[in-house]
């Protein structure tokens, strides 16, 4: 029978121990275990590269010309070759064939998809990112400073949440239409407007989470340790309130891409002839039986992006939550 | 005793502390009533001593602990800590004074941020107060971990990977990080099972000796108080009933409530019999506490003027013994 002493007085120096993992190393170690999320990240990064090269090769160094109209070659299915002799030499597609077919004006769908990918992806990212940032900040303030009164009249919580209610009452799509109609038509205005009108859900989610977390002892402990309020909010409360927001943001990316498509359909989105996935889809809608690829191609692209985002979001949620980690 | 000299000065002196919570109701949430959670409580804690605060659930023990640390704002009163009134400090000064006084919580599950590693939980106060960084920070956290009986390899683990007792050790390490003089232990061991309780209690005792800590030990466990405390305050319905040195309280309790409380305490010997003083009825609501002495509705030795007059503070023996009782029985 040997008993092990409870307190072993070994003097420690950090040389005897491996340095503790940084949060990033640890995050990466757990994230890469989720093969689906990892694959989706690769797809998203690939799409981002496609989007950037689309911007470069269709607008700056024009390799793929999106604006060439070839009426004799309209509604060519994907992978078909241009009609010999009819199309002038300089109008032939860059690859010698219509990789993704042509539309009702004989424009190369591949080139248009490339051009549109930049717009669609950046709208998704910027709008969803903006709505997440606004939602988290307002929700955190409303939840944390709930009872603090401004001018001894209304509490911070009442002010922010009633404003959120007002924003929710306004039919978002018509607000976007109005604002876009008044502002100069620019893709950046559309991103910002979509972001500014879609943060309410996030705000409510974060507020509700923080109201529950605020009463927990670790927040009181933070206060007792003299941590500044911003640190308590953004280091202790917000990370614990993020899981529902991350999920809602990945869906928000998809919604933003679709909202832009709807705007394009009504003629308020990116201005023609500039292509976006949305307006390729909505233009192609009229020819769904004659040329199904005009709908299928942008539709599939949106679907892939949305799916990839959802999977990445799920992976992030898991990697950021220590309790869900499998060691 | 109110004279403050450098050596006779108590570490913490609480004077006439009150904390009322508003009850709001109606259309415009007007304040319709006040819950008098803590009503006129005064006591003092000497350097290096363990001050037990006992009472049943809802009597205001936790509120006392948290108002002293300004985790809640007091309604009125003073708390003189090392010569300074804690309740009058502005936010900036308070932040620096927080290094001197810390708290250990009851629930080891909600008192640690589930998304931070143990290392960053314990190291955070050091970083925020600019006391250590880089290599030095890691070393100090390793040292703290070891001091509370955890192993250095626990540094990068998360709270949910630990048992309740280990989590409580983490909470203690966090409280110790800033090298405080005074720690409020708010039911620090009541969530743990008995064998772990003993370990944590012994840890707290060891730490007290090593760092000359003073504890405000809030609990409802009389055996713990008897073992750990030097001085004890008994609370009933937001007011103090009796404050006494621990031996005096357990050998000759003065206040009828203290007597009843002690008689309800189970003895470790199953054959031992002792007379139980059974109190009739329930604790009245702090929303509308009884007039006069708050204990008169249940007191076995109630007299007529207990119902109308609030009992004064009465010293038992010499004032230096710090044995005081709030009861009409001991007038003259």
């Amino acid at each position: 029978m040997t008993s092990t002493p409870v307190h072993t007085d070994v003097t420690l120096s950090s040389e005897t121990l491996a340095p503790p993992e940084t949060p990033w190393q640890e995050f990466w170690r757990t994230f890469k275990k989720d093969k689906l999320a990892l694959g989706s990240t690769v797809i998203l990064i690939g799409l981002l590269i496609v989007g950037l090269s689309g911007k470069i090769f269709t607008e700056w160094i024009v390799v793929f010309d999106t604006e060439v109209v070839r009426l004799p070659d309209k509604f060519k299915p994907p992978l078909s070759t241009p009609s010999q002799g009819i199309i002038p030499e300089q109008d032939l597609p860059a690859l010698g064939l219509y990789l993704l077919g042509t539309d009702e004006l004989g424009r190369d769908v591949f080139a248009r998809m490339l051009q549109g990918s930049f717009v669609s992806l950046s709208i998704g990212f910027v709008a969803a990112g903006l709505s997440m940032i606004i939602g988290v900040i307002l929700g955190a303030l409303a939840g944390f400073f709930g009872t603090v009164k401004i001018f001894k009249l209304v509490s911070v919580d009442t002010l922010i949440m009633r404003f959120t209610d007002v924003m929710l009452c306004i039919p978002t799509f018509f607000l976007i239409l109005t604002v876009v109609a008044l502002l100069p038509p620019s893709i950046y205005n559309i991103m910002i407007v979509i972001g500014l009108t879609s943060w309410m859900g996030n705000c409510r989610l974060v507020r509700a989470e923080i109201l529950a977390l605020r009463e927990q002892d670790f927040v009181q402990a933070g206060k007792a340790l003299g941590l500044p309020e911003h640190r308590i909010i953004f280091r202790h409360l917000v990370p614990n309130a993020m899981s529902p927001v991350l999920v809602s943001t990945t869906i928000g990316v998809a919604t933003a891409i679709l909202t832009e498509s709807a705007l394009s359909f009504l003629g308020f989105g990116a201005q023609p002839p500039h292509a976006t996935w949305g307006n390729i889809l909505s233009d192609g809608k009229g020819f769904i039986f004659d040329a199904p690829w005009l709908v299928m191609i942008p539709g599939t692209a949106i679907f892939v992006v949305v799916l990839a985002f959802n999977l990445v979001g799920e992976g992030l949620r898991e990697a950021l939550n220590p309790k869900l980690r499998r060691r | 005793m109110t004279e403050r000299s450098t050596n006779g000065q108590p570490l913490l002196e609480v004077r006439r502390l009150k904390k009322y919570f508003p009850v709001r109701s109606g259309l415009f949430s007007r304040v319709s009533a006040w819950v008098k959670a803590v009503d006129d409580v005064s006591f003092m804690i000497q350097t290096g001593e363990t001050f037990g605060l006992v009472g049943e659930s809802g009597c205001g023990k936790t509120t006392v602990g948290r108002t002293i640390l300004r985790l809640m704002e007091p309604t009125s009163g003073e708390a003189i800590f090392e010569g300074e009134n804690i309740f009058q400090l502005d936010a900036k000064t308070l932040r620096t004074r927080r290094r001197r006084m810390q708290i250990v919580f009851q629930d080891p599950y909600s008192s640690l941020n589930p998304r931070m590693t143990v290392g960053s939980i314990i190291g955070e106060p050091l970083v925020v107060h600019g006391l250590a960084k880089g290599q030095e920070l890691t070393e100090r956290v390793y040292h703290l971990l070891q001091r509370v009986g955890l192993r250095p390899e626990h540094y990068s683990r998360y709270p949910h990977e630990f048992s309740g007792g280990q989590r409580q050790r983490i909470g203690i390490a966090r409280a110790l990080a800033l090298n405080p003089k005074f720690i409020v232990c708010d039911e620090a061991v009541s969530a743990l099972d008995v064998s772990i309780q003993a370990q944590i209690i012994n840890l707290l005792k060891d730490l007290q000796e090593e760092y000359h800590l003073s504890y405000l030990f809030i609990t409802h466990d009389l055996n713990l108080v008897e073992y750990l405390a030097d001085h004890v305050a008994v609370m009933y319905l937001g007011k103090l009933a009796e404050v006494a040195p621990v031996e005096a309280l357990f050998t000759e309790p003065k206040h009828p409530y203290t007597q009843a409380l002690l008689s309800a305490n189970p003895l470790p010997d199953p054959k031992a019999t002792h007379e139980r003083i059974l109190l009739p009825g329930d604790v009245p609501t702090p929303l509308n506490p009884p007039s006069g002495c708050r204990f008169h509705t249940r007191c076995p030795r109630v007299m007529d003027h207990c119902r109308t007059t609030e009992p004064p503070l009465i010293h038992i023996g010499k004032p230096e013994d710090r044995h005081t009782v709030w009861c009409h029985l001991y007038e003259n």
Side-chain angles (χ1 to χ4, degrees), chain A residues 27-55:
Chain A
F27 166 76
W28 178 240
R29 184 169 55 76
T30 38
F31 186 75
K32 73 181 176 193
K33 275 189 202 155
D34 188 346
K35 297 295 171 214
L36 266 177
L38 196 66
S40 304
T41 316
V42 173
I43 291 178
L44 278 185
I45 292 170
L47 277 168
L48 279 181
I49 295 168
V50 169
L52 274 178
S53 57
K55 181 93 178 163

Side-chain angles (χ1 to χ4, degrees), chain A residues 91-111:
Chain A
D91 284 355
L92 286 174
L95 298 172
L97 84 166
Y98 302 115
L99 201 58
L100 298 177
T102 59
D103 64 4
E104 78 275 16
L105 295 174
R107 292 177 296 189
D108 186 3
V109 175
F110 178 68

Side-chain angles (χ1 to χ4, degrees), chain B residues 17 44-45 80 90 147 166 189 201 228 233 253 273 275 286 329:
Chain B
L17 173 66
M44 60 178 78
I45 300 176
I80 316 289
D90 58 285
R147 192 60 205 84
Q166 284 175 314
V189 295
I201 295 287
L228 200 65
T273 48
E275 204 185 328
L329 283 173

Side-chain angles (χ1 to χ4, degrees), chain A residues 8 10 12 14 17 20 26 216-218 220-221 223-228 231 235-236 239-240 243 320-323 325 327, chain B residues 66 71 95 98 102-103 105 110-116 124-125 128-129 135 139 142 146 152 155-156 158 160-161 174 178:
Chain A
T8 41
V10 186
L12 286 160
S14 42
L17 288 160
E26 191 179 18
Q216 299 236 5
D217 280 343
F218 70 84
Q220 295 293 313
K223 213 175 149 190
L225 290 167
L227 308 187
R231 196 176 170 100
R235 281 293 303 274
H236 291 263
N240 281 295
S243 335
L320 291 177
N321 186 351
K323 282 190 195 162
R325 283 179 199 164
R327 276 181 180 267
Chain B
R66 297 203 177 187
L71 295 178
R95 192 159 292 153
R98 287 201 186 283
Q102 279 302 315
I103 181 165
F105 292 93
S110 78
S111 63
L112 304 174
N113 184 346
R115 280 173 196 257
M116 285 168 80
E124 187 177 32
V128 168
H129 287 276
Q135 191 69 42
E139 305 245 351
Y142 281 150
Q146 199 194 1
Y155 186 98
S156 47
Y158 285 89
H160 71 273
E161 297 168 69
R174 171 178 63 190
L178 293 173

